[in-house]
Amino acid sequence: MSGVNLLNFDADQLAAFVGSLGEKPFRARQLLRWIHRRGAREFDAMSDLAKSLRAKLSQQAHIGCPSVLSDVIAADGTRKWLLDVGLGNAIEAVFIPEEDRGTLCMSTQAGCAVNCVFCSTGRQGFNRNLTTAEIVGQLWMVEHSGEPVAARPATESEGRASMRTVSNVVLMGMGEPLQNYDAVLPALRLMLDDNAYGLSRRRVTVSTSGMVPLIDRLAVDCPVALAVSLHASNDALRDTLVPLNKKYPLRELLAACSRYLRTAPRDFITFEYVMLDGINDSDQHAAELVALVADVPCKFNLIPFNPFPESGFERSSGQRIRAFAQHLADAGIVTTTRRTRGDDIDAACGQLAGDIRDRTRVGDRTARRVIPLTASAH
């Protein structure tokens, strides 16, 4: 396709592009609605645009998202797409239907450079950042695929005639969103824009492994709900499980979380915690967590580890997870245990890997790493 991909542009960027064509700013709002609300793929279909503008757009722009390589539906209704991003690389997007919501888990990178040792995505290494079009294109594809994807009824404010597939978005797929900040930010703004997807800030969540300076930037630029992949109760263990901790240790990360709450749409931070048998799941670890987050309003989402070949880890037992959760709850911390969804199609947390070659040999290095049992997703 020729010309610029309009999925790369948020409202301000699209207005600038339209201005460069000699058109007035309101045309950008019309374009946003055609592209993101209606899912228009061809400019000729945009009936309220002047023919002269449609001709300019046809010559200088296009609308395109990553193409679908595979589309698999799990027994529980979870749906996973493998999407082509070129040069033999692919990303994955996962839709999780529930009675009161439809959540889309989106990727922001092809691979991941954070290399959390319990995550299959990290094992494949890092290839490149996605463009804004490749990020928001995942949402565009699901909303406008032309086929049912367990759509939910519209809210009263959306009107009886409207049906929405995706009510919640989580940037928890492949990659560390804040390492691709310049592309993620316009994508977030499109998700929130009333002329595009019109999602509430409370219904858009960015998950990070702890990029402290960029947590602070997000708080200013586009504060949405924040989830932090914690996974450990002390620096010694987190240095091993989440190598990024060596650069941004827990004290700095927790301080950034406190600062974020000043502008956040929710009055708490969600801490994600993968339960690894014999590694981070003892009563001592739970006690350390209670002390660690004492000054940060938060909730914990405990995630049963989802095994993958040669991971070197086992899932904590159900009994151990319940005891761990009770310890946190007894301290007054809201604690939930994530229900495993889509694991029969490798769509569960920590299983997203895509069809990407391990160019950096991270898998070999990780397989040799030993985590001491006494030491205490992404």
Side-chain angles (χ1 to χ4, degrees), residues 345-360:
I345 58 170
D346 291 338
C349 182
Q351 290 184 320
L352 301 188
D355 187 14
I356 304 175
R357 292 174 295 172
D358 185 355
R359 292 177 172 81
T360 60

Side-chain angles (χ1 to χ4, degrees), residues 112-119 121-123 125 176 179 208-212 229-232 234-250 252-253 276 313 362 365-367 369-371 377-378:
C112 185
V114 175
N115 192 24
C116 297
V117 298
F118 49 81
C119 179
T121 306
R123 291 287 181 94
E176 162 57 58
Q179 283 187 336
T208 178
S209 296
M211 305 287 297
V212 168
S229 298
L230 199 60
H231 307 313
N234 60 65
D235 283 317
L237 178 57
R238 198 166 191 268
D239 284 351
T240 308
L241 295 178
V242 186
L244 185 65
N245 194 71
K246 296 173 184 176
K247 187 171 185 178
Y248 304 114
L250 285 169
E252 294 182 23
L253 176 57
L276 303 169
F313 297 102
V362 170
R365 294 200 307 272
T366 306
R369 184 180 288 115
V370 176
I371 298 178
H378 198 74

Side-chain angles (χ1 to χ4, degrees), residues 252-263 269 295-297:
E252 294 182 23
L253 176 57
L254 271 293
C257 290
S258 293
R259 293 191 297 271
Y260 193 85
L261 286 171
R262 298 170 189 167
T263 56
I269 301 291
D295 297 325
V296 181

Side-chain angles (χ1 to χ4, degrees), residues 280-334:
N280 65 352
D281 62 351
S282 71
D283 288 344
Q284 179 183 348
H285 294 132
E288 288 176 351
L289 283 178
V290 170
L292 180 69
V293 304
D295 297 325
V296 181
C298 63
K299 63 175 285 189
F300 268 83
N301 188 4
L302 304 183
I303 306 169
F305 173 65
N306 293 302
F308 55 91
E310 301 180 0
S311 68
F313 297 102
E314 297 292 337
R315 177 184 296 181
S316 301
S317 69
Q319 181 180 4
R320 179 90 293 269
I321 294 174
R322 288 190 292 272
F324 196 94
Q326 190 62 53
H327 196 123
L328 298 179
D330 288 345
I333 300 173
V334 174

Side-chain angles (χ1 to χ4, degrees), residues 9 70 309 358:
F9 296 155
S70 69
D358 185 355

Side-chain angles (χ1 to χ4, degrees), residues 7-55:
L7 290 185
N8 272 315
F9 296 155
D10 64 18
D12 290 342
Q13 294 166 333
L14 191 58
F17 174 72
V18 167
S20 74
L21 300 179
E23 301 287 342
K24 295 182 179 179
F26 78 91
R27 295 298 188 190
R29 293 192 294 274
Q30 289 178 304
L31 265 175
L32 273 181
R33 290 193 288 267
W34 275 110
I35 295 169
H36 298 287
R37 278 192 186 178
R38 303 186 188 183
R41 300 163 190 264
E42 303 295 336
F43 298 116
D44 285 343
M46 301 179 182
S47 55
D48 59 353
L49 298 185
K51 287 186 178 180
S52 59
L53 174 55
R54 282 182 267 168

